[in-house]
Amino acid sequence: LQCLWILQKAIIQFTVENCWSIVMYDVFFIDVKEPNAEKNYELCKQKAPHVHRISGVQGIHQAHQQASKICLTEMMYVVDADAVLVPDFEFNYKVDKYDLDVVHVWHSRNPVNDLEYGYGGVKLFPTLLTRHMDLTTIDMSTSISDKFKVIPTVSNIAEFNVDEYSAWRSGFRECAKLSAKVIDRQVNAETEDRLNTWCTKGADKPFGEYAIAGAKAGRQFGELNKSTDKMNLINDYKWLKNKFKNDFA
């Protein structure tokens, strides 16, 4: 009888561990008309056949909020449309029961200046906190929760340098945030190093000169408009397109 009890306990333990090992959170692919969105979406589907695509929603925050409203799991993966997932990345991260209110961010590799940090990386958000997030924040990823965890492995290449405007826009938005120091919990020395790298390296890479031009313009914009409502313009894609056209007219 005791042997039977031990066997039943082992079977239950095995079942629990293996069910936990195959748990997969809902995956969302969010695009705002990136030129390489279709290619990257197909790549994402190879790793997550159940991926949901969110497209055509006005506003970065609003797109993520829409994803959270149809999410059926307590955490949700988000993949940007310019993300080229690396071969060894899988959507199988296990969140501890005590970390279900923590934003998890993987590193990405910048194809222009070779920086590796959270910019453009795969993210794992608490679904309910995303659903009820503050839509007025500048940097969404670091403000959904006051708890933030970096996964220091590369999930993808942030392939934003596919045309002049996409490269410029990426440099502008990121460096405006970095220079204005609107990213919660950022380390100043690390921020300055990233700013300098964005503004100086990669001119020889495809559309690298546009990424650098955007970075320099964004750095200036962030320094001039920190702590003002004008910072919200970096999430207004119509305004960004007009600024790009004016800068290169």
Side-chain angles (χ1 to χ4, degrees), residues 76-107:
M76 51 181 275
Y77 282 104
V78 171
V79 181
D80 295 338
D82 59 11
V84 181
L85 297 174
V86 298
D88 58 351
F89 176 79
E90 300 293 341
F91 295 100
N92 58 4
Y93 185 82
K94 299 177 183 178
V95 176
D96 186 271
K97 62 181 179 180
Y98 300 109
D99 286 343
L100 293 173
D101 58 348
V102 176
V103 169
H104 297 69
V105 178
W106 278 258
H107 281 185

PDB file of all heavy atoms in Angstrom, residues 76-107:
ATOM      1  N   MET A  76       1.667  37.778 -21.203  1.00  0.00           N
ATOM      2  CA  MET A  76       1.574  37.854 -22.663  1.00  0.00           C
ATOM      3  C   MET A  76       2.904  38.287 -23.272  1.00  0.00           C
ATOM      4  O   MET A  76       3.514  39.261 -22.836  1.00  0.00           O
ATOM      5  CB  MET A  76       0.462  38.816 -23.092  1.00  0.00           C
ATOM      6  CG  MET A  76       0.505  40.180 -22.439  1.00  0.00           C
ATOM      7  SD  MET A  76      -0.832  41.288 -22.953  1.00  0.00           S
ATOM      8  CE  MET A  76      -0.109  41.968 -24.463  1.00  0.00           C
ATOM      9  N   TYR A  77       3.346  37.513 -24.252  1.00  0.00           N
ATOM     10  CA  TYR A  77       4.539  37.888 -25.009  1.00  0.00           C
ATOM     11  C   TYR A  77       4.176  38.941 -26.042  1.00  0.00           C
ATOM     12  O   TYR A  77       3.103  38.893 -26.648  1.00  0.00           O
ATOM     13  CB  TYR A  77       5.101  36.690 -25.768  1.00  0.00           C
ATOM     14  CG  TYR A  77       5.891  35.696 -24.961  1.00  0.00           C
ATOM     15  CD1 TYR A  77       5.337  34.470 -24.601  1.00  0.00           C
ATOM     16  CD2 TYR A  77       7.210  35.961 -24.589  1.00  0.00           C
ATOM     17  CE1 TYR A  77       6.070  33.532 -23.891  1.00  0.00           C
ATOM     18  CE2 TYR A  77       7.955  35.038 -23.884  1.00  0.00           C
ATOM     19  CZ  TYR A  77       7.381  33.818 -23.532  1.00  0.00           C
ATOM     20  OH  TYR A  77       8.109  32.899 -22.829  1.00  0.00           O
ATOM     21  N   VAL A  78       5.100  39.879 -26.270  1.00  0.00           N
ATOM     22  CA  VAL A  78       4.943  40.850 -27.347  1.00  0.00           C
ATOM     23  C   VAL A  78       6.213  40.853 -28.198  1.00  0.00           C
ATOM     24  O   VAL A  78       7.329  40.956 -27.675  1.00  0.00           O
ATOM     25  CB  VAL A  78       4.670  42.271 -26.804  1.00  0.00           C
ATOM     26  CG1 VAL A  78       4.743  43.290 -27.932  1.00  0.00           C
ATOM     27  CG2 VAL A  78       3.301  42.332 -26.142  1.00  0.00           C
ATOM     28  N   VAL A  79       6.011  40.732 -29.507  1.00  0.00           N
ATOM     29  CA  VAL A  79       7.108  40.760 -30.468  1.00  0.00           C
ATOM     30  C   VAL A  79       6.876  41.936 -31.405  1.00  0.00           C
ATOM     31  O   VAL A  79       5.802  42.054 -32.018  1.00  0.00           O
ATOM     32  CB  VAL A  79       7.166  39.448 -31.286  1.00  0.00           C
ATOM     33  CG1 VAL A  79       8.341  39.479 -32.267  1.00  0.00           C
ATOM     34  CG2 VAL A  79       7.274  38.241 -30.360  1.00  0.00           C
ATOM     35  N   ASP A  80       7.853  42.818 -31.516  1.00  0.00           N
ATOM     36  CA  ASP A  80       7.747  43.943 -32.447  1.00  0.00           C
ATOM     37  C   ASP A  80       7.879  43.448 -33.880  1.00  0.00           C
ATOM     38  O   ASP A  80       8.561  42.452 -34.155  1.00  0.00           O
ATOM     39  CB  ASP A  80       8.838  44.976 -32.168  1.00  0.00           C
ATOM     40  CG  ASP A  80       8.686  45.638 -30.808  1.00  0.00           C
ATOM     41  OD1 ASP A  80       7.556  45.632 -30.264  1.00  0.00           O
ATOM     42  OD2 ASP A  80       9.693  46.159 -30.285  1.00  0.00           O
ATOM     43  N   ALA A  81       7.270  44.180 -34.806  1.00  0.00           N
ATOM     44  CA  ALA A  81       7.240  43.728 -36.196  1.00  0.00           C
ATOM     45  C   ALA A  81       8.604  43.755 -36.873  1.00  0.00           C
ATOM     46  O   ALA A  81       8.798  43.086 -37.891  1.00  0.00           O
ATOM     47  CB  ALA A  81       6.249  44.565 -36.997  1.00  0.00           C
ATOM     48  N   ASP A  82       9.550  44.527 -36.351  1.00  0.00           N
ATOM     49  CA  ASP A  82      10.887  44.539 -36.956  1.00  0.00           C
ATOM     50  C   ASP A  82      11.840  43.560 -36.277  1.00  0.00           C
ATOM     51  O   ASP A  82      13.042  43.573 -36.535  1.00  0.00           O
ATOM     52  CB  ASP A  82      11.479  45.951 -36.973  1.00  0.00           C
ATOM     53  CG  ASP A  82      11.594  46.570 -35.582  1.00  0.00           C
ATOM     54  OD1 ASP A  82      11.410  45.851 -34.575  1.00  0.00           O
ATOM     55  OD2 ASP A  82      11.863  47.782 -35.501  1.00  0.00           O
ATOM     56  N   ALA A  83      11.292  42.696 -35.419  1.00  0.00           N
ATOM     57  CA  ALA A  83      12.125  41.736 -34.686  1.00  0.00           C
ATOM     58  C   ALA A  83      12.335  40.462 -35.506  1.00  0.00           C
ATOM     59  O   ALA A  83      11.380  39.778 -35.872  1.00  0.00           O
ATOM     60  CB  ALA A  83      11.485  41.391 -33.350  1.00  0.00           C
ATOM     61  N   VAL A  84      13.597  40.149 -35.768  1.00  0.00           N
ATOM     62  CA  VAL A  84      13.961  38.894 -36.413  1.00  0.00           C
ATOM     63  C   VAL A  84      14.416  37.945 -35.305  1.00  0.00           C
ATOM     64  O   VAL A  84      15.522  38.072 -34.768  1.00  0.00           O
ATOM     65  CB  VAL A  84      15.092  39.092 -37.442  1.00  0.00           C
ATOM     66  CG1 VAL A  84      15.428  37.771 -38.115  1.00  0.00           C
ATOM     67  CG2 VAL A  84      14.705  40.141 -38.473  1.00  0.00           C
ATOM     68  N   LEU A  85      13.565  37.012 -34.938  1.00  0.00           N
ATOM     69  CA  LEU A  85      13.875  36.119 -33.824  1.00  0.00           C
ATOM     70  C   LEU A  85      15.101  35.269 -34.132  1.00  0.00           C
ATOM     71  O   LEU A  85      15.245  34.741 -35.240  1.00  0.00           O
ATOM     72  CB  LEU A  85      12.682  35.213 -33.523  1.00  0.00           C
ATOM     73  CG  LEU A  85      11.402  35.938 -33.075  1.00  0.00           C
ATOM     74  CD1 LEU A  85      10.242  34.947 -32.961  1.00  0.00           C
ATOM     75  CD2 LEU A  85      11.608  36.660 -31.752  1.00  0.00           C
ATOM     76  N   VAL A  86      15.984  35.127 -33.140  1.00  0.00           N
ATOM     77  CA  VAL A  86      17.181  34.316 -33.341  1.00  0.00           C
ATOM     78  C   VAL A  86      16.812  32.845 -33.218  1.00  0.00           C
ATOM     79  O   VAL A  86      15.823  32.496 -32.549  1.00  0.00           O
ATOM     80  CB  VAL A  86      18.293  34.700 -32.341  1.00  0.00           C
ATOM     81  CG1 VAL A  86      18.719  36.151 -32.532  1.00  0.00           C
ATOM     82  CG2 VAL A  86      17.841  34.459 -30.900  1.00  0.00           C
ATOM     83  N   PRO A  87      17.573  31.948 -33.843  1.00  0.00           N
ATOM     84  CA  PRO A  87      17.189  30.531 -33.893  1.00  0.00           C
ATOM     85  C   PRO A  87      16.980  29.872 -32.535  1.00  0.00           C
ATOM     86  O   PRO A  87      16.101  29.012 -32.400  1.00  0.00           O
ATOM     87  CB  PRO A  87      18.369  29.886 -34.641  1.00  0.00           C
ATOM     88  CG  PRO A  87      18.897  30.981 -35.501  1.00  0.00           C
ATOM     89  CD  PRO A  87      18.751  32.229 -34.686  1.00  0.00           C
ATOM     90  N   ASP A  88      17.770  30.248 -31.526  1.00  0.00           N
ATOM     91  CA  ASP A  88      17.667  29.537 -30.259  1.00  0.00           C
ATOM     92  C   ASP A  88      16.677  30.163 -29.276  1.00  0.00           C
ATOM     93  O   ASP A  88      16.556  29.703 -28.141  1.00  0.00           O
ATOM     94  CB  ASP A  88      19.042  29.400 -29.596  1.00  0.00           C
ATOM     95  CG  ASP A  88      19.709  30.746 -29.334  1.00  0.00           C
ATOM     96  OD1 ASP A  88      19.182  31.766 -29.809  1.00  0.00           O
ATOM     97  OD2 ASP A  88      20.745  30.765 -28.646  1.00  0.00           O
ATOM     98  N   PHE A  89      15.957  31.197 -29.695  1.00  0.00           N
ATOM     99  CA  PHE A  89      14.942  31.756 -28.801  1.00  0.00           C
ATOM    100  C   PHE A  89      13.651  30.965 -28.917  1.00  0.00           C
ATOM    101  O   PHE A  89      13.198  30.662 -30.019  1.00  0.00           O
ATOM    102  CB  PHE A  89      14.661  33.229 -29.117  1.00  0.00           C
ATOM    103  CG  PHE A  89      13.556  33.805 -28.276  1.00  0.00           C
ATOM    104  CD1 PHE A  89      13.809  34.204 -26.969  1.00  0.00           C
ATOM    105  CD2 PHE A  89      12.256  33.892 -28.762  1.00  0.00           C
ATOM    106  CE1 PHE A  89      12.785  34.702 -26.163  1.00  0.00           C
ATOM    107  CE2 PHE A  89      11.227  34.399 -27.978  1.00  0.00           C
ATOM    108  CZ  PHE A  89      11.496  34.794 -26.670  1.00  0.00           C
ATOM    109  N   GLU A  90      13.047  30.658 -27.771  1.00  0.00           N
ATOM    110  CA  GLU A  90      11.769  29.962 -27.740  1.00  0.00           C
ATOM    111  C   GLU A  90      10.837  30.644 -26.744  1.00  0.00           C
ATOM    112  O   GLU A  90      11.288  31.230 -25.758  1.00  0.00           O
ATOM    113  CB  GLU A  90      11.950  28.485 -27.339  1.00  0.00           C
ATOM    114  CG  GLU A  90      12.845  27.673 -28.264  1.00  0.00           C
ATOM    115  CD  GLU A  90      12.250  27.487 -29.662  1.00  0.00           C
ATOM    116  OE1 GLU A  90      11.030  27.652 -29.814  1.00  0.00           O
ATOM    117  OE2 GLU A  90      13.032  27.174 -30.588  1.00  0.00           O
ATOM    118  N   PHE A  91       9.548  30.526 -26.990  1.00  0.00           N
ATOM    119  CA  PHE A  91       8.548  31.114 -26.099  1.00  0.00           C
ATOM    120  C   PHE A  91       8.196  30.131 -24.982  1.00  0.00           C
ATOM    121  O   PHE A  91       7.057  29.681 -24.857  1.00  0.00           O
ATOM    122  CB  PHE A  91       7.293  31.483 -26.895  1.00  0.00           C
ATOM    123  CG  PHE A  91       7.502  32.555 -27.920  1.00  0.00           C
ATOM    124  CD1 PHE A  91       7.662  32.221 -29.265  1.00  0.00           C
ATOM    125  CD2 PHE A  91       7.538  33.894 -27.554  1.00  0.00           C
ATOM    126  CE1 PHE A  91       7.850  33.212 -30.223  1.00  0.00           C
ATOM    127  CE2 PHE A  91       7.733  34.894 -28.503  1.00  0.00           C
ATOM    128  CZ  PHE A  91       7.890  34.545 -29.831  1.00  0.00           C
ATOM    129  N   ASN A  92       9.175  29.793 -24.175  1.00  0.00           N
ATOM    130  CA  ASN A  92       8.954  28.781 -23.146  1.00  0.00           C
ATOM    131  C   ASN A  92       9.445  29.214 -21.763  1.00  0.00           C
ATOM    132  O   ASN A  92       9.704  28.381 -20.900  1.00  0.00           O
ATOM    133  CB  ASN A  92       9.629  27.467 -23.544  1.00  0.00           C
ATOM    134  CG  ASN A  92      11.131  27.613 -23.765  1.00  0.00           C
ATOM    135  OD1 ASN A  92      11.702  28.684 -23.560  1.00  0.00           O
ATOM    136  ND2 ASN A  92      11.790  26.545 -24.187  1.00  0.00           N
ATOM    137  N   TYR A  93       9.562  30.507 -21.562  1.00  0.00           N
ATOM    138  CA  TYR A  93      10.043  31.014 -20.277  1.00  0.00           C
ATOM    139  C   TYR A  93       8.996  30.765 -19.187  1.00  0.00           C
ATOM    140  O   TYR A  93       7.804  31.019 -19.390  1.00  0.00           O
ATOM    141  CB  TYR A  93      10.349  32.504 -20.376  1.00  0.00           C
ATOM    142  CG  TYR A  93      10.955  33.103 -19.126  1.00  0.00           C
ATOM    143  CD1 TYR A  93      12.311  32.983 -18.878  1.00  0.00           C
ATOM    144  CD2 TYR A  93      10.159  33.769 -18.198  1.00  0.00           C
ATOM    145  CE1 TYR A  93      12.875  33.527 -17.735  1.00  0.00           C
ATOM    146  CE2 TYR A  93      10.709  34.317 -17.053  1.00  0.00           C
ATOM    147  CZ  TYR A  93      12.068  34.190 -16.823  1.00  0.00           C
ATOM    148  OH  TYR A  93      12.620  34.723 -15.691  1.00  0.00           O
ATOM    149  N   LYS A  94       9.437  30.278 -18.053  1.00  0.00           N
ATOM    150  CA  LYS A  94       8.544  30.007 -16.926  1.00  0.00           C
ATOM    151  C   LYS A  94       8.600  31.167 -15.934  1.00  0.00           C
ATOM    152  O   LYS A  94       9.650  31.476 -15.395  1.00  0.00           O
ATOM    153  CB  LYS A  94       8.964  28.723 -16.207  1.00  0.00           C
ATOM    154  CG  LYS A  94       8.915  27.473 -17.062  1.00  0.00           C
ATOM    155  CD  LYS A  94       9.432  26.282 -16.263  1.00  0.00           C
ATOM    156  CE  LYS A  94       9.462  25.025 -17.111  1.00  0.00           C
ATOM    157  NZ  LYS A  94      10.004  23.872 -16.347  1.00  0.00           N
ATOM    158  N   VAL A  95       7.484  31.789 -15.722  1.00  0.00           N
ATOM    159  CA  VAL A  95       7.418  32.881 -14.749  1.00  0.00           C
ATOM    160  C   VAL A  95       7.048  32.306 -13.392  1.00  0.00           C
ATOM    161  O   VAL A  95       6.042  31.612 -13.254  1.00  0.00           O
ATOM    162  CB  VAL A  95       6.373  33.938 -15.171  1.00  0.00           C
ATOM    163  CG1 VAL A  95       6.246  35.019 -14.101  1.00  0.00           C
ATOM    164  CG2 VAL A  95       6.765  34.560 -16.498  1.00  0.00           C
ATOM    165  N   ASP A  96       7.869  32.605 -12.396  1.00  0.00           N
ATOM    166  CA  ASP A  96       7.577  32.169 -11.035  1.00  0.00           C
ATOM    167  C   ASP A  96       6.258  32.797 -10.575  1.00  0.00           C
ATOM    168  O   ASP A  96       5.913  33.917 -10.975  1.00  0.00           O
ATOM    169  CB  ASP A  96       8.724  32.591 -10.108  1.00  0.00           C
ATOM    170  CG  ASP A  96       8.560  32.047  -8.698  1.00  0.00           C
ATOM    171  OD1 ASP A  96       7.915  32.738  -7.876  1.00  0.00           O
ATOM    172  OD2 ASP A  96       9.066  30.953  -8.436  1.00  0.00           O
ATOM    173  N   LYS A  97       5.524  32.082  -9.743  1.00  0.00           N
ATOM    174  CA  LYS A  97       4.216  32.579  -9.290  1.00  0.00           C
ATOM    175  C   LYS A  97       4.332  33.907  -8.541  1.00  0.00           C
ATOM    176  O   LYS A  97       3.353  34.654  -8.432  1.00  0.00           O
ATOM    177  CB  LYS A  97       3.520  31.546  -8.412  1.00  0.00           C
ATOM    178  CG  LYS A  97       4.245  31.196  -7.123  1.00  0.00           C
ATOM    179  CD  LYS A  97       3.480  30.132  -6.336  1.00  0.00           C
ATOM    180  CE  LYS A  97       4.199  29.761  -5.054  1.00  0.00           C
ATOM    181  NZ  LYS A  97       3.447  28.733  -4.283  1.00  0.00           N
ATOM    182  N   TYR A  98       5.514  34.205  -8.015  1.00  0.00           N
ATOM    183  CA  TYR A  98       5.719  35.474  -7.315  1.00  0.00           C
ATOM    184  C   TYR A  98       6.095  36.614  -8.277  1.00  0.00           C
ATOM    185  O   TYR A  98       6.219  37.760  -7.854  1.00  0.00           O
ATOM    186  CB  TYR A  98       6.813  35.322  -6.253  1.00  0.00           C
ATOM    187  CG  TYR A  98       6.487  34.283  -5.208  1.00  0.00           C
ATOM    188  CD1 TYR A  98       7.167  33.075  -5.168  1.00  0.00           C
ATOM    189  CD2 TYR A  98       5.482  34.510  -4.269  1.00  0.00           C
ATOM    190  CE1 TYR A  98       6.861  32.113  -4.210  1.00  0.00           C
ATOM    191  CE2 TYR A  98       5.166  33.555  -3.304  1.00  0.00           C
ATOM    192  CZ  TYR A  98       5.859  32.360  -3.287  1.00  0.00           C
ATOM    193  OH  TYR A  98       5.547  31.405  -2.342  1.00  0.00           O
ATOM    194  N   ASP A  99       6.294  36.305  -9.556  1.00  0.00           N
ATOM    195  CA  ASP A  99       6.725  37.308 -10.539  1.00  0.00           C
ATOM    196  C   ASP A  99       5.663  37.610 -11.583  1.00  0.00           C
ATOM    197  O   ASP A  99       5.969  38.141 -12.663  1.00  0.00           O
ATOM    198  CB  ASP A  99       7.999  36.827 -11.251  1.00  0.00           C
ATOM    199  CG  ASP A  99       9.229  36.929 -10.356  1.00  0.00           C
ATOM    200  OD1 ASP A  99       9.153  37.653  -9.356  1.00  0.00           O
ATOM    201  OD2 ASP A  99      10.235  36.276 -10.676  1.00  0.00           O
ATOM    202  N   LEU A 100       4.417  37.303 -11.290  1.00  0.00           N
ATOM    203  CA  LEU A 100       3.353  37.499 -12.270  1.00  0.00           C
ATOM    204  C   LEU A 100       2.960  38.961 -12.443  1.00  0.00           C
ATOM    205  O   LEU A 100       2.124  39.278 -13.299  1.00  0.00           O
ATOM    206  CB  LEU A 100       2.122  36.665 -11.879  1.00  0.00           C
ATOM    207  CG  LEU A 100       2.331  35.149 -11.971  1.00  0.00           C
ATOM    208  CD1 LEU A 100       1.123  34.409 -11.398  1.00  0.00           C
ATOM    209  CD2 LEU A 100       2.589  34.715 -13.413  1.00  0.00           C
ATOM    210  N   ASP A 101       3.564  39.849 -11.650  1.00  0.00           N
ATOM    211  CA  ASP A 101       3.348  41.294 -11.827  1.00  0.00           C
ATOM    212  C   ASP A 101       4.613  41.987 -12.317  1.00  0.00           C
ATOM    213  O   ASP A 101       4.741  43.208 -12.240  1.00  0.00           O
ATOM    214  CB  ASP A 101       2.872  41.933 -10.520  1.00  0.00           C
ATOM    215  CG  ASP A 101       3.853  41.733  -9.370  1.00  0.00           C
ATOM    216  OD1 ASP A 101       4.791  40.915  -9.503  1.00  0.00           O
ATOM    217  OD2 ASP A 101       3.682  42.403  -8.327  1.00  0.00           O
ATOM    218  N   VAL A 102       5.544  41.206 -12.864  1.00  0.00           N
ATOM    219  CA  VAL A 102       6.842  41.727 -13.308  1.00  0.00           C
ATOM    220  C   VAL A 102       6.899  41.784 -14.835  1.00  0.00           C
ATOM    221  O   VAL A 102       6.503  40.831 -15.516  1.00  0.00           O
ATOM    222  CB  VAL A 102       7.995  40.842 -12.780  1.00  0.00           C
ATOM    223  CG1 VAL A 102       9.341  41.324 -13.315  1.00  0.00           C
ATOM    224  CG2 VAL A 102       8.001  40.813 -11.258  1.00  0.00           C
ATOM    225  N   VAL A 103       7.374  42.896 -15.365  1.00  0.00           N
ATOM    226  CA  VAL A 103       7.648  43.010 -16.796  1.00  0.00           C
ATOM    227  C   VAL A 103       9.005  42.363 -17.082  1.00  0.00           C
ATOM    228  O   VAL A 103      10.003  42.706 -16.450  1.00  0.00           O
ATOM    229  CB  VAL A 103       7.666  44.485 -17.243  1.00  0.00           C
ATOM    230  CG1 VAL A 103       8.208  44.616 -18.668  1.00  0.00           C
ATOM    231  CG2 VAL A 103       6.269  45.088 -17.158  1.00  0.00           C
ATOM    232  N   HIS A 104       9.038  41.415 -18.007  1.00  0.00           N
ATOM    233  CA  HIS A 104      10.278  40.732 -18.389  1.00  0.00           C
ATOM    234  C   HIS A 104      10.677  41.203 -19.788  1.00  0.00           C
ATOM    235  O   HIS A 104       9.847  41.218 -20.704  1.00  0.00           O
ATOM    236  CB  HIS A 104      10.080  39.217 -18.411  1.00  0.00           C
ATOM    237  CG  HIS A 104       9.738  38.619 -17.080  1.00  0.00           C
ATOM    238  ND1 HIS A 104       8.522  38.828 -16.446  1.00  0.00           N
ATOM    239  CD2 HIS A 104      10.454  37.809 -16.255  1.00  0.00           C
ATOM    240  CE1 HIS A 104       8.509  38.172 -15.299  1.00  0.00           C
ATOM    241  NE2 HIS A 104       9.664  37.553 -15.161  1.00  0.00           N
ATOM    242  N   VAL A 105      11.937  41.568 -19.949  1.00  0.00           N
ATOM    243  CA  VAL A 105      12.423  42.077 -21.243  1.00  0.00           C
ATOM    244  C   VAL A 105      13.725  41.376 -21.620  1.00  0.00           C
ATOM    245  O   VAL A 105      14.682  41.366 -20.834  1.00  0.00           O
ATOM    246  CB  VAL A 105      12.651  43.603 -21.203  1.00  0.00           C
ATOM    247  CG1 VAL A 105      13.194  44.091 -22.541  1.00  0.00           C
ATOM    248  CG2 VAL A 105      11.356  44.334 -20.871  1.00  0.00           C
ATOM    249  N   TRP A 106      13.749  40.812 -22.814  1.00  0.00           N
ATOM    250  CA  TRP A 106      14.961  40.191 -23.345  1.00  0.00           C
ATOM    251  C   TRP A 106      15.787  41.238 -24.090  1.00  0.00           C
ATOM    252  O   TRP A 106      15.274  42.282 -24.509  1.00  0.00           O
ATOM    253  CB  TRP A 106      14.586  39.060 -24.312  1.00  0.00           C
ATOM    254  CG  TRP A 106      14.256  37.765 -23.656  1.00  0.00           C
ATOM    255  CD1 TRP A 106      15.043  36.659 -23.540  1.00  0.00           C
ATOM    256  CD2 TRP A 106      13.005  37.424 -23.017  1.00  0.00           C
ATOM    257  NE1 TRP A 106      14.380  35.662 -22.869  1.00  0.00           N
ATOM    258  CE2 TRP A 106      13.130  36.103 -22.534  1.00  0.00           C
ATOM    259  CE3 TRP A 106      11.806  38.116 -22.796  1.00  0.00           C
ATOM    260  CZ2 TRP A 106      12.101  35.458 -21.852  1.00  0.00           C
ATOM    261  CZ3 TRP A 106      10.782  37.482 -22.109  1.00  0.00           C
ATOM    262  CH2 TRP A 106      10.929  36.172 -21.652  1.00  0.00           C
ATOM    263  N   HIS A 107      17.049  40.956 -24.278  1.00  0.00           N
ATOM    264  CA  HIS A 107      17.908  41.822 -25.080  1.00  0.00           C
ATOM    265  C   HIS A 107      17.628  41.597 -26.567  1.00  0.00           C
ATOM    266  O   HIS A 107      17.170  40.536 -26.982  1.00  0.00           O
ATOM    267  CB  HIS A 107      19.379  41.511 -24.815  1.00  0.00           C
ATOM    268  CG  HIS A 107      19.899  42.111 -23.556  1.00  0.00           C
ATOM    269  ND1 HIS A 107      21.223  42.044 -23.185  1.00  0.00           N
ATOM    270  CD2 HIS A 107      19.285  42.806 -22.565  1.00  0.00           C
ATOM    271  CE1 HIS A 107      21.402  42.672 -22.034  1.00  0.00           C
ATOM    272  NE2 HIS A 107      20.230  43.126 -21.638  1.00  0.00           N
TER     273      HIS A 107
END
